[in-house]
Amino acid sequence: MAQRIGIDVGGTNVKIALVGDDGKIIYSNSIPTRAEMGYEYTINSMKEAIKDLLKETKLQASDIEGIGFGFPGQIDCQNGIVRLAPNIPGWVNVPIAKIMEEEFSIPTRVDNDVRTAALGELNYGAGVGCQNLVCITVGTGIGSGLVINGKLVRGASNAAGELGHIKLNMTGGPLCGCGDRGCLEAYASGPSIVAMAEDYIRGGKSTKYRELANPEITPYIVAVAAKEGDPVAKQIFRIMGEYIGIGLTSVINLLNPEKVIIGGGVAAAGDILFDPIKETIAKRAMTIQKEAVEIVPAQLGNTAGVIGASLLINS
Ligand SMILES: [Zn+2]
């Protein structure tokens, strides 16, 4: 049986897993990223974690078919280099695949983390059986992994899938992290939920989430308030869902996918976000495309990244 290692690198933690042929996690571990110590520190911790994995599972390096890494950032997939990872300071032009291949003599691949999550959902999660898939994560930002004709879409320079930067406004709108204005991500993501919630408080609206705030307002607190029936919190998620629904309408019209899979921290809010997304798409997408598409929650949760990364060696 082929066994592969999947590694999901985040700003806070690195998740490491041994994944079997059937997509099941055989062994998993998590270590702190400690980006402030420099990228060499994180690389050494990851090497140690892989050695621990081999020891604990009584495997040799030659038993492992491949190692795959998912990184939040711009990746040169062909050459296995992390070009830039904005949330992990210090990771600029790091040839991670070569470093690991020299250490373990195991073929190693690297890709963007949202793309690896899409690969995980495609093979073992909500996207099983699909040929055309849009997988989005809604959290601090909005990212996506696209699958067309059963293959991950990477683009001319590995940057395809920036769904969060679809423009919703011709002349202005809120400033986005990309430097432009009016992007979907600037209207609908974790920070915009918080900004809208604070605006309502300043406007004198009495709201449940103000009582729940401890002391900051978080997207999670607004979601709890919405589920408890707070009308202002419900309205915030309705507006978020409409924005995401409008952005997805363009993508659905363009790509004609069978499924849109939505995951990420903000998406955990469930129906209060999914209902307005679905209603907006039902109202605004083109007939043939909308009849073909199903909007579903991600299934693999926070294991999608390691499972998908483990599959990079064959994709
Ligand atoms: Zn943008």
Side-chain angles (χ1 to χ4, degrees):
M1 189 175 100
Q3 294 163 112
R4 309 171 193 106
I5 293 173
I7 301 180
D8 187 12
V9 185
T12 312
N13 288 301
V14 179
K15 296 191 208 87
I16 295 164
L18 180 70
V19 184
D21 252 350
D22 52 359
K24 295 270 189 310
I25 292 174
I26 300 162
Y27 166 95
S28 70
N29 198 3
S30 172
I31 57 169
T33 310
R34 305 285 306 269
E36 75 284 2
M37 304 285 282
Y39 76 90
E40 296 93 340
Y41 177 93
T42 311
I43 285 178
N44 284 329
S45 309
M46 292 194 292
K47 284 180 180 172
E48 289 308 311
I50 293 170
K51 287 174 191 164
D52 286 347
L53 177 152
L54 293 172
K55 204 157 74 184
E56 302 259 336
T57 55
K58 300 188 171 62
L59 292 171
Q60 309 288 321
S62 57
D63 298 322
I64 307 293
E65 188 187 9
I67 300 175
F69 282 88
F71 268 88
Q74 294 168 21
I75 310 299
D76 174 349
C77 309
Q78 281 71 33
N79 298 301
I81 297 168
V82 177
R83 287 276 173 232
L84 186 68
N87 302 323
I88 315 179
W91 282 78
V92 180
N93 292 326
V94 178
I96 182 73
K98 183 161 167 271
I99 292 169
M100 291 297 168
E101 285 178 351
E102 279 171 4
E103 180 78 24
F104 295 103
S105 301
I106 302 173
T108 301
R109 302 282 182 274
V110 51
D111 209 331
N112 171 276
D113 61 346
V114 187
R115 237 176 258 157
T116 57
L119 200 53
E121 293 288 347
L122 170 70
N123 284 278
Y124 298 111
V128 169
C130 288
Q131 287 292 305
N132 301 284
L133 195 64
V134 174
C135 194
I136 80 164
T137 56
V138 186
T140 309
I142 295 182
S144 86
L146 308 177
V147 174
I148 295 180
N149 297 333
K151 284 271 178 212
L152 269 186
V153 176
R154 293 191 166 101
S157 46
N158 289 307
E162 290 290 0
L163 198 149
H165 304 280
I166 285 180
K167 312 303 175 190
L168 298 187
N169 191 319
M170 191 165 91
T171 52
L175 186 64
C176 179
C178 73
D180 196 18
R181 287 184 179 276
C183 299
L184 171 59
E185 179 174 299
Y187 284 101
S189 58
S192 42
I193 289 177
V194 173
M196 206 186 293
E198 286 168 348
D199 266 358
Y200 277 117
I201 289 179
R202 271 194 295 274
K205 293 266 186 200
S206 154
T207 68
K208 176 111 195 143
Y209 58 76
R210 179 157 54 175
E211 295 161 30
L212 296 168
N214 181 27
E216 306 102 73
I217 294 168
T218 63
Y220 175 75
I221 282 173
V222 182
V224 170
K227 283 178 191 166
E228 289 182 9
D230 179 66
V232 176
K234 276 161 74 177
Q235 174 68 6
I236 291 171
F237 271 91
R238 167 147 291 278
I239 294 169
M240 288 293 138
E242 286 176 6
Y243 279 130
I244 295 169
I246 289 182
L248 282 175
T249 294
S250 295
V251 179
I252 290 165
N253 287 346
L254 183 72
L255 300 178
N256 186 204
E258 295 135 79
K259 273 189 189 171
V260 173
I261 299 174
I262 307 177
V266 172
D271 289 346
I272 53 168
L273 185 69
F274 276 70
D275 287 348
I277 291 176
K278 288 179 188 171
E279 285 162 24
T280 304
I281 292 167
K283 207 162 27 179
R284 304 204 52 182
M286 298 174 83
T287 307
I288 291 174
Q289 288 90 328
K290 89 180 159 207
E291 281 174 357
V293 73
E294 206 184 335
I295 314 297
V296 297
Q299 266 179 18
L300 300 179
N302 60 13
T303 63
V306 285
I307 293 173
S310 79
L311 297 166
L312 283 175
I313 199 71
N314 296 320
S315 71

